[in-house]
Amino acid sequence: MDNIISFDEGNGILVCEAGCILEKLDSFLAEKGYMMPLDFGAKGSCQIGGNISTNAGGIHLLRYGSLRANILGLEIVLANGQVIDSLRSLRKDNTGYDMKQIFIGAEGTLGVVTKVSILTPARLSSRNVVFLGCKYFTDCQRALKEARSNLGEILSAFEFLDRKALDMVLSHSDGLRDPLPDSKHSFYLLVETTGSCFNHDREKLDNFLEICMDKGVVADGVVAQDNQQFRSFWQLREGITEALSKAGAVYKYDLSIPVPYMYNIVENLQHRLGDLAVVMGYGHLGDGNLHLNISAPRYDSKIFSLIEPFVYEWTASHKGSVSAEHGLGFMKADAIYYSKSPEMVQWMTRFKQMFDCNGILNPYKVLPGSSFKEGSRYRNVSNSS
Amino acid sequence: MDNIISFDEGNGILVCEAGCILEKLDSFLAEKGYMMPLDFGAKGSCQIGGNISTNAGGIHLLRYGSLRANILGLEIVLANGQVIDSLRSLRKDNTGYDMKQIFIGAEGTLGVVTKVSILTPARLSSRNVVFLGCKYFTDCQRALKEARSNLGEILSAFEFLDRKALDMVLSHSDGLRDPLPDSKHSFYLLVETTGSCFNHDREKLDNFLEICMDKGVVADGVVAQDNQQFRSFWQLREGITEALSKAGAVYKYDLSIPVPYMYNIVENLQHRLGDLAVVMGYGHLGDGNLHLNISAPRYDSKIFSLIEPFVYEWTASHKGSVSAEHGLGFMKADAIYYSKSPEMVQWMTRFKQMFDCNGILNPYKVLPGSSFKEGSRYRNVSNSS
């Protein structure tokens, strides 16, 4: 299940089996002048079938869009053993309903993805990354706006982390240093550009930095000078998860929140928890995706009761999503009602019943048990139910 | 139904009613520094709700991706009167199945789109367009490859038309001239770039042209020197449909075909039809989307019998789609089997039965009548059926 089936060099269309490791696919494409449109810390172990089943996001969604735009075709095995072959390699196909979409992000509860056709972007030669320090979260937002207008088409990632997240990764990772050691900042930004001409990109980046400094949006900043520094800046962002797991107990939330309010929940929750735990925030600022992490010496029911349902209720009241990119799985299936109406969940249950009436595919995931009313799991579905 | 409900200036998220005209939305966004991610000839009259229901493609899909990536939320009215509110303004939301996707491109047969939340890209300041002449279709493909690597992140459209299409538009449109009058070419390309820095873009474009000329990929070319020339180059491409309707009877096909074989069908069909009709090809080369048009003095059953089912069979045998971006509607509903397996169509029929068991929404469209077997339209749906 980890074979590459074909690659169209003229149009960048890769067809492969679902068990291929994301990083291996990217290495294969590198030789052909292309790249995978998605990237994240787990790339060395995650498989493309899982990426699709969880509608994985990652650091480059800002530039290359979601999997919904890049997946051209899927082969899916259904609960009844039927193989659905929509493994086309066409950018456009408006013949009937786009069935494959319903399996993207369904976490394997409607069918099992076995083969994939995916559109891959050209691997451009020039990549740069800058590490910036900001005083306020509003400055981070202003920097994002400047990046959108001044970096425009070359902007490929816009990530943020707060000071507590930086401290966490610095204290648990060997060989990583603070890129801005002269002063401490409340927030840090990691801004990546990708383009086809190094000189043009550097000129745009210098211009962006000058504007940010002049306007007082950014307090300090440094451009990675070589590949090693490029990687070490990214390790500061991507190493947070691992550092947290070394530090003790960690409660993790993956929220979509409108950018202006995004950091308020970190502050509010820290206020609630006081000295019991350290609350930190980082994530994909350009996508409005906050990774909210609470680090404590050990798992504790008092701490947990202060976190939940507060985090979910806060997110719902700000029209956010309680799972931006990680999915619901087993643990968060009941939290679906914070982001979706009972009517929506009822329709989802009908999809589940239609494709998997015996509930044999990844049971108890995604949909809450309560959505399957007495006997309804085996009941036929109709519009009037 | 044509009101703008909200616009998030920081993140470019537009929420509006489904009756808004595409061009009016784009003009509204222009003032805010953003643009609609889709564009095509009918922008002055088409409505965003219809664009979504037909999963419209257009000239900028190459750059900004499909509607599936850019639509963040929808409000939909179902056949039973229920209002499904998924009008979120979040770039990422993995809480349950992404229900709204099934309504995109369903041509109103599963529900009626009434409100829309859409992600809009920044409106970059520099736009250029070049008009190129090529000797062979293989040269057009080579030029596309050069554009992908040399124009990279600024490439925003890559369109082609053959000489017959150019002649058609020149002879039926007042005030349009051949941009390359010194010699006739078999194929023409219209390559657009969009970026944030005019000097950078022009340098990349000059470099691209020099490489194409040096390698003999392109026989001749001209860069639009001002806004008027920019528009007139585009009118040559976008005016073909109207010109065809003035010329007499026209048989239209909108096909996705793997790029290497894309033009073969034009030549094969011309050979079949001989002097009975003129076959021309144009479209979105970068997306593998061919608009195949047959112009004849009048509608004629002999001509039609030479065209169909030949065009569909040829497309199916080359693993293409018989409707790339125009949808199936009423006239092509029965052609669905050329691009989708009977099993897929059966599942689509189950979706239709689930959402609209009485068949009251846009009846006879998308799905062929034969897919609803005796009595099945009113039958409950189960996995075993």
Side-chain angles (χ1 to χ4, degrees):
Chain A
M1 288 284 283
D2 63 352
N3 293 306
I4 287 167
I5 298 165
S6 68
F7 182 65
D8 170 354
E9 289 208 36
N11 301 288
I13 298 167
L14 173 73
V15 180
C16 67
E17 293 176 338
C20 291
I21 303 284
L22 178 59
E23 195 169 46
K24 286 190 182 169
L25 291 176
D26 194 59
S27 303
F28 167 81
L29 292 172
E31 291 173 27
K32 315 281 185 185
Y34 288 87
M35 63 185 281
M36 289 299 281
L38 69 166
D39 188 10
F40 34 76
K43 56 181 167 272
S45 57
C46 66
Q47 297 171 356
I48 188 68
N51 298 155
I52 290 162
S53 295
T54 55
N55 190 28
I59 56 175
H60 286 151
L61 186 134
L62 176 76
R63 171 74 169 264
Y64 302 109
S66 78
L67 281 172
R68 301 202 172 275
N70 295 311
I71 295 297
L72 302 180
L74 294 176
E75 181 191 85
I76 298 147
V77 179
L78 299 180
N80 65 4
Q82 194 182 12
V83 178
I84 292 284
D85 177 7
S86 71
L87 203 64
R88 297 289 169 123
S89 294
L90 305 168
R91 278 204 74 163
K92 291 176 173 176
D93 178 17
N94 278 351
T95 53
Y97 311 143
D98 191 358
M99 294 271 299
K100 67 177 180 296
Q101 294 290 341
I102 207 72
F103 298 94
I104 299 174
E107 302 184 32
T109 60
L110 300 179
V112 179
V113 173
T114 48
K115 289 179 190 159
V116 178
S117 171
I118 185 168
L119 181 71
T120 69
R123 198 178 202 94
L124 303 179
S125 57
S126 160
R127 278 220 292 178
N128 284 290
V129 68
V130 288
F131 197 82
L132 307 171
C134 291
K135 197 167 180 184
Y136 303 108
F137 188 68
T138 47
D139 289 340
C140 299
Q141 295 175 58
R142 289 166 65 201
L144 174 58
K145 205 168 178 188
E146 295 296 343
R148 284 219 170 94
S149 54
N150 292 290
L151 298 174
E153 68 277 14
I154 63 168
L155 182 65
S156 56
F158 198 100
E159 301 283 308
F160 93 105
L161 53 161
D162 63 13
R163 179 74 216 181
K164 288 180 280 187
L166 182 68
D167 284 340
M168 178 61 70
V169 73
L170 287 173
S171 61
H172 288 93
S173 313
D174 289 341
L176 287 181
R177 293 184 309 114
D178 183 348
L180 303 172
D182 296 338
S183 53
K184 291 199 170 195
H185 306 278
S186 303
F187 299 95
Y188 295 90
L189 299 173
L190 202 147
V191 184
E192 187 195 74
T193 66
T194 306
S196 58
C197 173
F198 183 79
N199 292 344
H200 290 174
D201 292 4
R202 245 349 229 280
E203 207 178 302
K204 288 189 179 88
L205 202 50
D206 289 345
N207 181 46
F208 162 71
L209 290 173
E210 205 176 299
I211 289 172
C212 285
M213 292 300 226
D214 283 354
K215 291 188 177 176
V217 171
V218 159
D220 200 1
V222 55
V223 183
Q225 294 303 317
D226 52 35
N227 268 339
Q228 197 187 337
Q229 214 169 23
F230 182 97
R231 278 196 301 274
S232 73
F233 285 7
W234 267 113
Q235 279 167 12
L236 290 172
R237 165 62 187 83
E238 294 191 327
I240 301 171
T241 308
E242 197 184 332
L244 274 160
S245 67
K246 288 180 187 167
V250 57
Y251 302 86
K252 296 179 178 190
Y253 298 88
D254 164 47
L255 312 170
S256 268
I257 297 175
V259 178
Y261 318 109
M262 201 176 172
Y263 201 72
N264 295 15
I265 190 169
V266 181
E267 294 167 334
N268 291 6
L269 188 59
Q270 185 65 76
H271 184 73
R272 272 175 80 84
L273 288 166
D275 294 336
L276 291 172
V278 179
V279 185
M280 59 199 80
Y282 63 96
H284 317 291
L285 193 69
D287 309 326
N289 184 184
L290 173 75
H291 294 315
L292 174 74
N293 282 247
I294 301 106
S295 178
R298 68 196 68 80
Y299 291 100
D300 180 305
S301 61
K302 188 184 170 193
I303 291 176
F304 186 67
S305 70
L306 287 167
I307 298 172
E308 285 190 27
F310 172 79
V311 166
Y312 292 141
E313 288 172 353
W314 196 99
T315 303
S317 72
H318 289 79
K319 297 191 175 178
S321 166
V322 297
S323 179
E325 59 177 13
H326 293 173
L328 294 169
F330 173 70
M331 291 187 50
K332 292 180 181 170
D334 286 322
I336 194 170
Y337 292 108
Y338 289 105
S339 292
K340 293 287 155 67
S341 68
E343 292 76 24
M344 290 277 280
V345 177
Q346 204 181 4
W347 278 108
M348 290 180 200
T349 305
R350 287 174 186 157
F351 276 87
K352 174 70 174 173
Q353 288 168 326
M354 187 166 79
F355 282 107
D356 179 25
C357 60
N358 294 316
I360 61 170
L361 292 174
N362 230 0
Y364 314 114
K365 305 277 173 64
V366 183
L367 296 175
S370 59
S371 71
F372 298 90
K373 290 179 212 143
E374 189 73 33
S376 71
R377 182 167 298 198
Y378 306 98
R379 203 177 54 187
N380 281 346
V381 182
S382 81
N383 205 6
S384 57
S385 68
Chain B
M1 288 285 285
D2 63 351
N3 292 306
I4 287 167
I5 297 167
S6 68
F7 182 65
D8 171 353
E9 289 207 35
N11 301 287
I13 297 166
L14 173 74
V15 180
C16 68
E17 293 176 338
C20 290
I21 302 286
L22 179 59
E23 194 169 48
K24 285 190 183 169
L25 291 176
D26 194 58
S27 302
F28 168 82
L29 291 170
E31 290 172 28
K32 315 280 186 186
Y34 289 87
M35 62 185 279
M36 289 299 282
L38 69 164
D39 188 8
F40 32 77
K43 57 180 167 274
S45 57
C46 66
Q47 298 172 356
I48 188 68
N51 300 154
I52 290 162
S53 295
T54 55
N55 189 30
I59 56 175
H60 287 149
L61 186 135
L62 175 78
R63 171 73 168 267
Y64 302 108
S66 77
L67 281 171
R68 303 205 169 274
N70 295 310
I71 295 297
L72 302 179
L74 293 177
E75 181 191 85
I76 297 146
V77 180
L78 299 180
N80 64 4
Q82 194 182 13
V83 179
I84 292 284
D85 177 7
S86 71
L87 204 63
R88 295 290 169 124
S89 295
L90 305 168
R91 277 204 75 161
K92 291 177 173 175
D93 178 17
N94 277 351
T95 53
Y97 312 142
D98 191 357
M99 293 271 297
K100 68 177 179 292
Q101 293 290 341
I102 207 72
F103 297 95
I104 299 174
E107 302 184 30
T109 59
L110 299 178
V112 178
V113 173
T114 48
K115 288 179 190 160
V116 177
S117 171
I118 184 166
L119 182 70
T120 69
R123 196 177 203 96
L124 303 178
S125 57
S126 158
R127 278 219 291 177
N128 284 291
V129 68
V130 288
F131 197 83
L132 306 171
C134 291
K135 196 166 180 184
Y136 303 109
F137 188 69
T138 47
D139 289 340
C140 299
Q141 295 176 59
R142 289 166 68 202
L144 174 60
K145 205 167 179 188
E146 294 297 344
R148 282 219 170 93
S149 55
N150 293 290
L151 298 174
E153 68 275 14
I154 63 167
L155 183 64
S156 55
F158 197 99
E159 301 284 307
F160 93 104
L161 54 160
D162 62 14
R163 178 73 217 182
K164 287 180 277 186
L166 183 66
D167 284 339
M168 177 62 71
V169 73
L170 287 174
S171 60
H172 288 91
S173 312
D174 289 338
L176 287 181
R177 292 186 309 115
D178 183 348
L180 303 172
D182 295 340
S183 53
K184 291 199 170 196
H185 306 279
S186 303
F187 298 95
Y188 294 90
L189 298 173
L190 200 147
V191 183
E192 187 196 72
T193 65
T194 305
S196 59
C197 174
F198 183 79
N199 292 342
H200 291 173
D201 292 4
R202 242 355 228 279
E203 207 179 303
K204 288 189 178 90
L205 202 50
D206 289 345
N207 182 45
F208 161 72
L209 290 174
E210 204 177 301
I211 289 172
C212 285
M213 293 299 228
D214 282 355
K215 290 187 177 177
V217 170
V218 160
D220 199 0
V222 54
V223 183
Q225 295 302 317
D226 53 36
N227 268 337
Q228 197 188 337
Q229 213 170 23
F230 182 98
R231 278 196 301 274
S232 72
F233 285 7
W234 268 114
Q235 279 166 12
L236 290 172
R237 165 65 186 82
E238 293 190 327
I240 301 172
T241 308
E242 198 184 330
L244 275 160
S245 67
K246 288 180 187 167
V250 55
Y251 302 86
K252 296 178 178 193
Y253 298 89
D254 164 47
L255 311 170
S256 268
I257 297 175
V259 178
Y261 317 110
M262 203 176 171
Y263 201 72
N264 296 13
I265 191 170
V266 181
E267 294 166 335
N268 292 5
L269 189 59
Q270 185 66 75
H271 184 73
R272 272 176 79 83
L273 288 167
D275 293 336
L276 291 172
V278 179
V279 185
M280 59 198 80
Y282 63 96
H284 316 291
L285 192 70
D287 308 327
N289 184 182
L290 173 74
H291 295 314
L292 174 73
N293 283 247
I294 300 106
S295 179
R298 67 197 68 79
Y299 289 102
D300 180 307
S301 62
K302 187 184 170 193
I303 291 176
F304 187 67
S305 70
L306 287 168
I307 299 173
E308 284 191 28
F310 172 78
V311 167
Y312 292 141
E313 287 173 355
W314 195 99
T315 304
S317 72
H318 288 79
K319 295 190 177 179
S321 166
V322 296
S323 178
E325 59 177 12
H326 292 174
L328 294 168
F330 173 71
M331 289 185 51
K332 291 179 181 169
D334 286 322
I336 194 170
Y337 292 109
Y338 288 107
S339 292
K340 293 288 154 65
S341 68
E343 293 76 22
M344 289 278 278
V345 177
Q346 203 179 8
W347 280 108
M348 290 181 200
T349 305
R350 287 173 185 156
F351 276 85
K352 173 69 174 172
Q353 287 169 327
M354 186 166 80
F355 281 107
D356 179 24
C357 60
N358 294 316
I360 62 170
L361 292 174
N362 229 0
Y364 314 114
K365 304 277 174 64
V366 183
L367 296 174
S370 59
S371 71
F372 297 90
K373 289 178 212 142
E374 190 70 34
S376 71
R377 184 168 293 199
Y378 305 98
R379 200 177 56 186
N380 281 346
V381 182
S382 81
N383 205 3
S384 57
S385 67

